[in-house]
Amino acid sequence: MTDAINRRRFLKVLGVTGAGAATLSACGIGPEPTERLIPYLVQPEDQVPGIATYYATTCRECAAGCGVRVRVREGRAVKLEGNPDSPINRGRLCARGQAALQGLYNPDRIPHPMIRNARGVLEDIDWDGAIQRLTAKVRESQGKGIVFLTGAEQSTFGDLIDEWLKQIGGRRVSYEPFGFEALRAGNRMTFGTTAVPTYDFANAKYILSFGADFLDTWLSPVEFQNGFTRAHAFDAGRPASMAKFVYVGPRLSVTGMNADEWIGARPGTEGMLALALAQVIVTQHLARVPADASRLSSLLAGYAPRAVATAIGIEESVIVRLAKEFASSGGGLAVAGGMATQGPNGAEIVAAVNILNYAVGAVGTFVKFGAELAIGSTNTFGDIATLIADMAAGKVGLLFVHGTNPAYTAPGAFPQALGKVAYKVSFASFMDETTAACDLILPDHHALEQWGDSRPRAGVTALQQPVVQPVFDTRHAGDVILKLSGKAGTFQDYLQAKWKTKHAANFDQYWMESLAKGGIYAEAPARAVRLAPTAARINPAAPAVSTAQEQDVVVFPHPILHDGRGANQPWLQELPDPVSKISWHSWVEVHPDTAARWGLATGDFLLLKSAFGAQKFPAWITPSVRPDVLAVPTGQGHTAYGRYAKDRSANAFELLGAQANGYGGRNFTVRATATKTGEHRKLATAEGSPRELGMGTTEVLALSRAKALHPGDHPFHYEETPEYAKEAVAWWAERQHEKASHGNYKGEHPRWGLAIDLAKCTGCSACVTACYAENNLATVGEELMQRRREMAWLRLERYWRTDAHGTVQGAVIEPMLCQQCGSAPCEPVCPVFAAYHTPDGLNGQVYNRCVGTRYCSNNCPYKVRFFNWYNYAERGGEFEAFPEPLSMLLNPDVTVREKGVMEKCTFCVQRIRGAQHQARIENRAVKDGDIVTACQQTCPSDAIVFGDLNDRNSRVYELAGNPRGYHVLAGLNTKPAITYLARVVDQETPRNG
Amino acid sequence: MVLILALPPVVANGQQAPVASSRYKAPVISDTGALKGPRQPIFFRHDIHAGQDQIPCMYCHYSAAISTEPGLPSLQTCFGCHQLISGSTPSHQAEIKKVRDAWRDRKPPEWIRVYALPGFARFPHMRHIKALGTQSCTTCHGDVQHTPQIEQVSTLRMGWCIQCHIKNNVSRDCSVCHY
Amino acid sequence: MSPTLRLPGSVRELFSPPPKPGVLGVFGHLDTTIAAIKQLREAGHTDFTVYSPIPRHELEDALAQPVSPVRMFTLIGGIAGCAIGAWLSLWMSEDWPIQVGGKPIGSIPPYVVIMFEMTILFGALTTILGILLNAAFAARRAGKIMYDPRFTNDRFGIFVPAEAGKAPKVESILRSAGAEEVRRG
Amino acid sequence: MTYDYVTRTIARTLGTPSRGYFLLLAGAVTLLAIGIITLLFLLRYGLGLAGYSHPVYWAVFITCFVFWVGIAHSGTLISAILFLFRSGWRTAVYRTAEAMTVFAVMTAGLFPLIHIGRQWYFYWLIPYPNERGLWPNFKSPLIWDEFAIGTYFTVSTVFLIMGLIPDIAAVRDLATGWRKKLYAITSIGWTGSNEQWRHYSRGYLYLAALATPLVLSVHSVVSWDFAMALVPGWHATLFAPYFVAGAIYSGVAMVITLLVPIRYIFRLEELITIKHFENLGKLCLLTGLIVSYSYVTENFIAWFSGDEHERAAFWYRAFGPFWWASWTMNICNGLLPWLLWFKKVRTNITALFVISIFVNIGMWFERYVIIVVSLAGEPYTNWTNAVYNPTWADWGIMAGSFGWFFMWFLLFVKNFPAVSISEVKEVLPPPRRGRVAASR
């Protein structure tokens, strides 16, 4: 693209003011102001140059339907933040949500409609032409079978599609690669309903997860994570206590990492374990079991702990103890899903867990039917299989694809079948595997450019409004369909009309309010469920034990890239996987013992050959997986989709079959042979030593000890000075302080500080991506990641946590960022004062003064300073991080760093200054809570608190005095401004690595 | 600039000082080539608008007092008046016609930037106006009210900023402007 | 430097002083040179110049020269350097007070290094200056006098300024002392 | 041996160069060219071309910097300190050592400029009055460095020139043609008159007196670049003496490496005798032992302190991924010098030459170990321990530095007396009439 075109499009996107233009051209920190200023034609009344406007809309990165507020500056969306009004995410957001911006401004988006010409090549076409062609196609293929394939689309748009399909005689199939068939089938068995209930983690007192990764990929992660930390965090609003969390599963996921105890049950036996627990509870009357549970006694009789212990692979005593704990907690909640329920007996496992819940009376209290989740309404994989069959049989004449990419998630079968379809139309924004095979491409607006709504759960309708001008020559699929169906008006009108039907009385006001709030949020009435007769007949039989040459391979959804839809967003590619810390590549998890047996080292390639396909993955040797299990994430291995995703590693879906299993689900646990290929790859990992080795960076407390702490205790206090020297030292420090308080440093100043609660942090990594978004961090790509040159100001250090026997029980995650030390080692060594101490207690880093001696980084014990080895903002440079139009999401308030300068966490100084400006304009002082750092704002578990340590009434001041509080490497007397609150584990003698 | 700081508070509150420029009559410019500063697509004369007609700066640069950015008036703002005002002299009419054409063609003029800071320096206009008053624009932008064509009158170099900060005894902390 | 010193009109003049008539004796041996020096001094000559390829204490003793004033240069230079170092580091710190690592704005311990280095630097430079100036002024006092290239190799020499009248007497002294060769210029 | 013989022998070294000389020079210039090209690449694309990897933010460049500063030390030691100690044997070797010093400092001085991220702003480290009103941070060891190195360069240069003046005068009086003009100017009217000698010898004495503490200070300051930081393996009070000893050690080794060929090529056997080499050998042995002692102390204190970070750091050093570097250093610097206990070895030119080469290698690795390995294995946060490999850019710059150094050195030895004429004469018995009173 020539600059001229860039510029024109750029002008189209923003009715630019100077500021907008300046920041975009301000690549590097050299003075490069815009030479031209283009005024608005008409000033948008809700936008003032230099002041951000926030628009409420809905995140469509996954089906959870979190509310977001988009920060818009001079017509550019520069940051996503959670919408506090939304009951789903309560103002929080996950990494994938943060990265939605990179979908909006992605350089690989399809810029205009395309059509396959006679030679079979895709060529450009104008919209009118495209729509004419399509109208014709629709007419001629009526009766020949029309199918509209969408993602989870519980929305007015979905309704529109259905209406239109009724009109032209077609059917809609909605497809989520990681569907919840097992959940629905299991619920049908036990309660006679296929609804997917919501789970109230917040009030549970004991959480037992059978493979359900509710913190990263299961149903509604942000919502659940928020709830989970309320329950699981130590003294989170409740008298010192925490809900114990036990994780049952073959490998540790993000969710598993946070468990107090990890039960590595053999895959497939989770159901047996659940029933065993229920058996103990019922027979020993540990809980007030509902009357009708007696029907189950015959079923449970077969699952006495002694009988099933060996099959499950854990001691009988453990089962009994768990049952006792679970029941006696008086608030036990068990959830089943994810890896546990993706085998052939998944539905039974869910049913078994339902029974366990039912036995302790969790159903109705924590498992809430009534407020069903929309995700449950998608078609099953069985339906997809039939669709594929129909397509292959040529029974589909016209196929529309919107918001899903089955050619990637169902490789082999689907692409073949696709070939048999006469005419294929895609509404995708990216040239993904499916779209590449289509005949007509009508690029849809990005979610942030379009009107729409979605109903993530009963009672909640989240609104979507365009927050920026369309970046490319795209059109709302709704508008297209309306045109096709010959209806007048745009989709916006359609949407409003639909809403009017629900609420006619002074609609406009209602509409505006809903827009401002981001939707309408109502509590759906609870619905009581009773045990269905089928419940007593379930049989969660365990599959056969895997033999030496055949391994159980668990294919699990990548917590960041999920089913691969995130693979073309550099932020998500660069973000290390929370567990493996590997980025830009896929991997296979191998237990050290297995690795030793096979003579395998991290990075050696394993060829996995299943009945359906074979793929190569580099091994990651980790104690977080069962010895007899190999685990592979999805997400990578795209053959199309975009520059960041294409030809990167291998596609784990290749290993899976396209057949539906008994309950209409898909088997994600397959048997495969693993052979060393001899190849090796240096993985781009952020992981250093996986063990903390008692160097005193992380602290872990047993619950018993934590409970014993009183206000004023300092279990981790590091005594720097002996008693006799205290007075002298104090006097000396005072003198030093006086000598240091000249000029700007005179008088009272705030001391900005942070408190990070390790008991809350789950390692979900949302904060990291938020930091990338807020502070214009460059993504450096795999090659430089391999050389440890990532720019992440905030990294999550994951140290394995073991029990007394040294077996891994989970992990402690420590967010490590600039500690803004009171007496910082980095400052005095800088020859030019580029690193210096600000009056308000920050370690200032003046980019434009920095000459790049890098001494500061050498002298930083926390190693949180990062150097610009190349000019990552260089147009067309080898390591360009913001290719047009990605550069449009650069934060205008933050300098884009040039090559050769050091950078580090600034505590979002631009937000601090912004708040101070605002306060000054309003003639008031900055209040506690005015300033919210990007990481704090997005943290789904509210683990980070920012504030003024000199303000006795601030939240952070209170937390800094918490007995669990400690400073990392306090012994170095760096006086950090960040207080970490020790991780609390419900365990006898936890060890941090 | 000393004069500006010394002005009576009534001026600092935004009203025009009657003595200051009520008698001021913008000169007729015959030779525009002789003027300093870049030639703009439209020969917009601050001395006529701000000086002779005494339109307050904030009328067009409306966001300067509330935002970091002074804001550039949208074409609508120009047209708002020039719908009616078509100019007295032919030369004026010619320029005003450009405005109307631009509005008709929905094609805003591309002004040439005169005052620009490097990307790494922040200048929150509202803070400075808050401190120095609404008339203080002239502190940095010169006597705009009597300048036919805007030119850069201050260096905008760091030393220049610092001197003023020292004189007014405000913070010299680096992170006030650089982040 | 003697108080009666008249500063030269121009630098040019400094480096090419007016020629002086006199007698030059070339010696092959150290002891003969010393003997000649002694006799000349007895004869009341004081302002003669002795050439030698190397510095010898015998010569210095025979000439009974005062100690070179260069040391004053070194001393003053050193002190000045130290002061400049102190001013540099302290004043510049206070000029724009910037706090680093919680240390005092102007803290002496780290600045000692600067002071020390500046002491050495200025000390050395002024010493060189001292040598050059002193030698230059000495040369100027002596005026443009006779020289023989062998003096930097293996010969010693004595030049005695003398008008035509006194010259023969000087020559005889030099000869008697054992000069290999005596020239008049 | 007469004065005349000395003058002519040394003057002979300035004769028309052989083809071998030009080959050497060409080699040096080629290396320099490589370095310059590499530098251009670094300037255009950034330091990323070098092997840096978080948290190893200082590597080969700083290693070379310290290495060259170290080399620079023996020169002034031999010329100044031994001058004060009135040790006669220095006269024959000090000129070479001093020239080496000056050029080594010139080389070392380049590295801080090359290794910074924005080389074009190097002058921000200099306290010059500027429009912004900003000054450098005198608390930063890097600024100390700048002053120390700057002073050292200036002083050692003038020291070298001062020593040269009488000799240049001597060759001036022998030379003819353009060379005569050159020497006539550079000898600034030296005649060897009693007045000149009087001020000269005094001044020289004071210069020596000033240079002596300077030598000791410079490498102490360099060592503080590390000792002032809190990196385990850097943060040790031992560093100043340890570095100074190491510097002299490497310097003396380099002197031997340079003298052997010079002596051979210029046929200076009678001026530079075995005795000189033996003394250098002894010096080498002494400093070598101090260095070895420092190694032992370092490790002992790391263990004795009981600080787990210190312990971890030194364990990593010895048995971590960089074990090979550490053991190269220990063997070359710790064990080899013990050979010098034997007179046979000390008086065997070949043996000395070989040992000196190994010592140079060992000392380079010492700096590599201290800088790279300490950073790579910094145990404060286990999370960040790096894998570091130098790239072509690192080697390119290093090659360039050697080219730069040898180019200057070769040019020097052909154009100025590489052995002091006047001082060699000083230690000879002066010519006297008859053989009488040879007693002196």
Side-chain angles (χ1 to χ4, degrees), chain A residues 686 688-689 692 787-789 798 828-831 848 850-855 857-859 863 870 874 898-899, chain D residues 43-45 47-48 50 52-55 57-58 115 117-118 124 137 140 225 229-231 378 380 382-383:
Chain A
S689 154
E692 193 264 1
R787 292 165 74 175
R788 293 294 176 83
R789 289 178 178 182
R798 186 259 305 122
V829 297
C830 176
N848 44 309
C850 179
V851 295
T853 67
R854 306 187 294 292
Y855 199 170
S857 172
N858 291 347
N859 209 24
K863 291 285 171 272
Y870 297 102
E874 182 182 352
E898 179 186 53
K899 80 162 179 261
Chain D
L43 286 168
R44 166 64 182 83
Y45 294 104
L47 283 176
Y52 295 108
S53 124
H54 187 78
Y57 274 6
W58 283 356
H115 104 286
R118 299 202 289 170
W124 282 358
N137 171 11
S140 167
D225 283 351
L230 44 57
V231 179
E378 202 198 274
Y380 282 131
N382 281 299
W383 195 251

Side-chain angles (χ1 to χ4, degrees), chain A residues 566-578:
Chain A
N568 204 46
Q569 280 135 314
W571 284 345
L572 297 184
Q573 282 281 10
E574 184 115 337
L575 178 61
D577 165 66

Side-chain angles (χ1 to χ4, degrees), chain A residues 29 581 682 686-695 697 786-789 795-799 816 825 827-833 847-855 857-867 869-871 874 898-902 969 972 974, chain D residues 42-58 61 115-122 124-125 130 132 134-143 224-226 228-231 234 308-309 312 375 378-387 389 391:
Chain A
I29 60 183
K581 293 294 163 189
K682 190 173 187 295
E687 183 183 39
S689 154
R691 303 295 177 118
E692 193 264 1
L693 302 174
M695 288 300 180
T697 53
Q786 287 167 336
R787 292 165 74 175
R788 293 294 176 83
R789 289 178 178 182
R795 65 167 180 266
L796 302 185
E797 298 181 357
R798 186 259 305 122
Y799 297 115
M816 183 48 75
E827 291 164 356
V829 297
C830 176
V832 293
F833 287 121
Y847 306 124
N848 44 309
R849 178 64 172 169
C850 179
V851 295
T853 67
R854 306 187 294 292
Y855 199 170
S857 172
N858 291 347
N859 209 24
C860 171
Y862 308 96
K863 291 285 171 272
V864 287
R865 297 180 145 264
F866 304 92
F867 192 70
W869 296 110
Y870 297 102
N871 184 354
E874 182 182 352
E898 179 186 53
K899 80 162 179 261
V901 304
M902 190 64 72
L969 300 171
L972 295 174
T974 50
Chain D
L42 288 178
L43 286 168
R44 166 64 182 83
Y45 294 104
L47 283 176
L49 297 175
Y52 295 108
S53 124
H54 187 78
V56 182
Y57 274 6
W58 283 356
F61 294 166
H115 104 286
I116 62 174
R118 299 202 289 170
Q119 296 90 343
W120 49 97
Y121 286 135
F122 73 92
W124 282 358
L125 275 70
N130 56 49
R132 302 176 221 85
L134 290 166
W135 305 109
N137 171 11
F138 290 98
K139 297 188 190 80
S140 167
L142 293 182
I143 296 291
W224 291 335
D225 283 351
F226 307 103
M228 288 290 154
L230 44 57
V231 179
W234 286 11
E308 71 271 19
H309 297 120
L375 286 174
E378 202 198 274
Y380 282 131
T381 58
N382 281 299
W383 195 251
T384 60
N385 38 24
V387 277
N389 292 311
T391 63

Side-chain angles (χ1 to χ4, degrees), chain D residues 14-61:
Chain D
L14 307 179
T16 348
S18 64
R19 250 177 77 254
Y21 173 84
F22 282 114
L23 283 178
L24 285 174
L25 193 60
V29 173
T30 321
L31 285 178
L32 179 58
I34 293 173
I36 289 171
I37 291 163
T38 320
L39 180 58
L40 292 177
F41 269 92
L42 288 178
L43 286 168
R44 166 64 182 83
Y45 294 104
L47 283 176
L49 297 175
Y52 295 108
S53 124
H54 187 78
V56 182
Y57 274 6
W58 283 356
V60 171
F61 294 166

